[in-house]
Structure formats: C-alpha cells, structure tokens
Amino acid sequence: YSRCHWLNLYIFISVHHSTCHLKRIRQLDGLRFVAVSFVLLQHFAYYIGQKFSAGYYGVDLFFFFIVFLITGILLKQTGTPGKTYLQFLGRRTLRIFPIYYLTLGILWLVNFPHVRESILYFLTYTYNYAVVIHDIPLNHTTHFWSLSVEEQFYIFWPWLVLGLKKYPSLLKVILWGLILFCGLQLVWNVVPSLTPYNYYGLIPRAFSLALGGLGAIYYSEGKISFRWLAQGWIEPVSILILLFFLHYPLGVQPIILPLISLFFILKAVHKGFQTPWIATALSNRWVVYLGTISYGIYIYHLPIAYYFTNDLFYAYIWNRIDFDAFGPLAKLQYHPWILKLPLYSLAAVVAAHVSYQYIEKPILQLRDRYFRYPSSQTIE
C-alpha cells in the first residue's frame, strides 16, 4: 500500500499525464507558489508581511517541502548508499548550483553591496553563519542564508536515510531526538550559545527539516491516518490556525507552523485538497507554473528589487504621483508597498521565467543522462 503511494508520488513529480496524477502534481507546485508568495509579501510589502511572519513561514514551507519529497525518493532507491548518494548530489547540484553561482558571478562583477566582502561564505554555502558571526545587516542578499541551510542539510541527510533505511526504528529514534532538541531550543533556548542561530542556523532550523523527513518515513510505511487526511473540514480550519499563529506567535510558532506544513504536504501527496476553492487555487495553471519557477523567483527577487528601489521606483514612479489629488486616499503615499509588491514581483517572475526556460530546463535534462536513479519513476 505505502509502496504504491510513493510510486504514485514519483509519477506525479515526473509529470505523467493522467488526470489524477496531474491534479496532485499541480497542487504540490501550488504549495511552492504559496511558499514563494509569502516570501515576496515579506520583502516587498513589509508593512503587511511583518504582521504575519510571512517570510519565516515561506522559507519554512520550502524546507519542509523539499525534504519530504527527497526523503521519499531516497527511501525507494535500491542501489548502494555510496552510488545513490552520488546520484543524489549530482541531481541536486544540477538543480541548485547553476543559477545560484551565475547570480553570484554577476553580482560580484557589478560589485553588488555585501557580495565581494562575503563571497567566500556565499561560495561555500556558509553565509547563514556569517550573518550571525559578523553581524551582517539585512541586505538584498540576506535571503541566500536559507540556501546555505539547505545545502548543509544535504551533506548528512542522505547518508542518514540511506545508511539506516534498513533500520527504520533506529532512524526514527534519531529523528525524534533531533526534532525534540531543536524544538526545545526554538521555544525555550535550552542551549543559550545556540540562541543567536535560532533563525539562521542549521541547528535548530533542522526541526522543520527533520520533521519533513520523519513525515515522509511514516507516510512510506502507511502509518499516517488516511482517514484523518480525508476529512475536508480540516483544510480551512488548518488555514485559520496558520493565520492565527502567523499573527500571534505565542512562543510556539516554530513548532506549530511545521506541523501545519506537514498536513498541507500530506494532503497534496495523498489525494489532494478537497475544499473546492483551495483545490482550484492550488491547481490553477498560472499558480502551478509560478510554483515550478519558484526557485528562480526566490534567487532573483531581492537583487532585482535593489535596482528598482534605488534607480527606478521612487525617482520615476512613486514620487511623480500626485497623491493630493486622491483626496481621502492621499495617505496612500505612505504605503509604497501597494505598488512595490506587484511591480517587483512581476519583475522577479519575468527573470525567473527567462532563467527557467533558457538556463534551468536545458540543464535539468542532464540529470537523467548522468545521474539517473535506478527506477525511472524516481525523478524529483
């Protein structure tokens, strides 16, 4: 039963064209769109985004999504751990490195702020620690910290899963221990020396990563309550709970949000969302495509915004608007995010679209040529 579910998931990710499979892959990419939308809201509409911890949840959902899918793929591999690990690294390298290092190269050439002095950290995916150690202020490359966490996780996670998948009980005990420690650190700071790294560090942000992997393991074993997942009323309730804890953290936000993400991912993977407006929104073709190119949107959005803000937005657009003519709406002049959010987001989407079509897709086609998994269905 669980084997069939993971086989279906791989087929969804491979974009096979049966109606049922198409529905599920669309909702998964729809969730990617949700994640990147929260990030854009945080960065381009800070007035709104900071009221709902939008950026925090957007990144956290990305973490969860990636590890859940990758863990399921690793669990199905039949090759030796060493060979599978190399295949995994090769595939992830072709997915992540090209536009990341291309962007870094361009930013270095144009002497983009904070890039040259931190280039070693960017190149080695250790920028998340540099931000804390050197007290680097928020800037238009700070978002690269999350890519550092992701890459650091990839170093040991495949070895843990591949090395212990024949000993699932031990693997789950280790993950539960990691989740417990990271959760205690996030909520109660049990290790004070780690507290400065609560946001940027692999530990304790591994709470979401490990929970995503653990959820994938239990799902692969058929130990998730499918009756519970079939309850449609939980979907809108979970969204309300999400919005509540985004606005009122109550000290347990880092624990509650990943649990909600787990529910969202399981719903999309199992049978999809049943609430009509949710299912329709996540399956919309534009939403699906934006989810597909979400990595590029994430990479490019802040560097693009830097040039808009400094050279274009205020000088040529916002400051030329006659707000006095708006009467009671003249106060809009204090809310530039109203125009920034759609304008900057559109620019990031255009850049990501061009990047995906002409850089990423041709490179991604090399994955099955050089780093093909034994099973043709196991394509991320």
Side-chain angles (χ1 to χ4, degrees):
Y1 183 69
S2 62
R3 183 182 181 88
C4 178
H5 277 292
W6 277 115
L7 178 60
N8 285 341
L9 175 58
Y10 300 141
I11 295 174
F12 306 152
I13 298 172
S14 302
V15 199
H16 284 201
H17 297 293
S18 77
T19 302
C20 178
H21 293 168
L22 185 59
K23 175 182 177 182
R24 294 194 187 181
I25 186 61
R26 291 173 75 88
Q27 291 194 5
L28 286 172
D29 277 326
L31 288 176
R32 295 188 196 215
F33 168 77
V34 171
V36 78
S37 295
F38 270 82
V39 172
L40 296 176
L41 184 67
Q42 177 75 38
H43 292 159
F44 297 159
Y46 184 74
Y47 178 80
I48 300 297
Q50 58 92 21
K51 295 180 183 295
F52 288 91
S53 302
Y56 184 94
Y57 183 66
V59 170
D60 208 63
L61 183 56
F62 269 128
F63 283 160
F64 206 98
F65 184 94
I66 292 169
V67 175
F68 185 93
L69 295 182
I70 285 176
T71 302
I73 292 172
L74 292 174
L75 288 172
K76 297 303 298 181
Q77 300 314 305
T78 58
T80 63
K83 181 178 180 180
T84 302
Y85 183 70
L86 291 177
Q87 291 168 330
F88 168 82
L89 285 185
R91 296 177 72 85
R92 296 312 297 171
T93 295
L94 290 175
R95 179 67 189 98
I96 295 174
F97 282 14
I99 65 170
Y100 174 73
Y101 283 113
L102 174 63
T103 302
L104 283 181
I106 294 173
L107 297 181
W108 187 87
L109 287 174
V110 301
N111 197 18
F112 196 85
H114 299 284
V115 170
R116 290 191 176 181
E117 56 266 40
S118 300
I119 191 62
L120 181 61
Y121 298 110
F122 286 126
L123 294 176
T124 57
Y125 284 100
T126 54
Y127 186 65
N128 57 324
Y129 294 112
V131 169
V132 177
I133 294 172
H134 299 295
D135 196 23
I136 299 175
L138 292 176
N139 61 78
H140 287 79
T141 57
T142 301
H143 63 305
F144 289 158
W145 74 268
S146 65
L147 304 179
S148 297
V149 171
E150 184 180 328
E151 288 303 308
Q152 291 160 20
F153 196 73
Y154 288 157
I155 293 176
F156 77 89
W157 183 251
W159 279 118
L160 186 64
V161 175
L162 294 171
L164 296 178
K165 69 177 182 178
K166 293 183 179 180
Y167 309 95
S169 296
L170 177 58
L171 177 58
K172 286 183 282 189
V173 167
I174 292 174
L175 293 184
W176 274 119
L178 181 60
I179 290 169
L180 177 61
F181 174 76
C182 293
L184 291 173
Q185 177 62 28
L186 286 169
V187 177
W188 287 292
N189 295 310
V190 292
V191 180
S193 60
L194 280 178
T195 300
Y197 301 95
N198 278 5
Y199 190 91
Y200 294 106
L202 174 59
I203 303 292
R205 289 305 290 265
F207 178 88
S208 297
L209 296 163
L211 184 62
L214 189 65
I217 293 170
Y218 279 117
Y219 183 78
S220 71
E221 295 175 342
K223 294 182 179 178
I224 300 294
S225 174
F226 298 116
R227 177 181 296 181
W228 175 67
L229 289 177
Q231 301 298 318
W233 63 269
I234 300 180
E235 298 169 9
V237 170
S238 64
I239 292 176
L240 292 176
I241 294 174
L242 170 65
L243 294 176
F244 176 84
F245 279 100
L246 286 175
H247 189 57
Y248 303 103
L250 301 181
V252 294
Q253 185 187 68
I255 306 300
I256 299 298
L257 298 187
L259 292 173
I260 296 174
S261 295
L262 174 60
F263 172 72
F264 288 164
I265 298 297
L266 288 172
K267 284 292 295 187
V269 167
H270 185 54
K271 288 188 176 180
F273 286 83
Q274 298 173 354
T275 305
W277 65 270
I278 300 176
T280 300
L282 291 179
S283 301
N284 177 274
R285 67 188 184 98
W286 294 108
V287 168
V288 169
Y289 182 69
L290 292 175
T292 302
I293 64 172
S294 59
Y295 176 56
I297 294 174
Y298 187 81
I299 289 283
Y300 303 131
H301 77 286
L302 280 182
I304 287 175
Y306 171 80
Y307 288 106
F308 263 107
T309 300
N310 284 8
D311 302 325
L312 297 173
F313 183 75
Y314 286 105
Y316 295 100
I317 301 177
W318 194 254
N319 291 337
R320 297 190 178 193
I321 299 176
D322 183 10
F323 288 100
D324 292 335
F326 288 10
L329 297 179
K331 291 183 179 180
L332 288 176
Q333 65 180 308
Y334 303 113
H335 298 277
W337 64 268
I338 295 173
L339 187 56
K340 276 185 176 182
L341 179 60
L343 180 64
Y344 291 12
S345 298
L346 178 61
V349 167
V350 170
H353 167 73
V354 173
S355 171
Y356 183 75
Q357 294 297 329
Y358 299 104
I359 300 175
E360 295 170 71
K361 280 182 67 174
I363 293 175
L364 290 177
Q365 293 174 358
L366 300 176
R367 293 190 300 183
D368 281 343
R369 180 182 301 177
Y370 298 109
F371 303 104
R372 187 178 183 86
Y373 286 130
S375 172
S376 61
Q377 281 80 28
T378 54
I379 301 175
E380 307 97 300

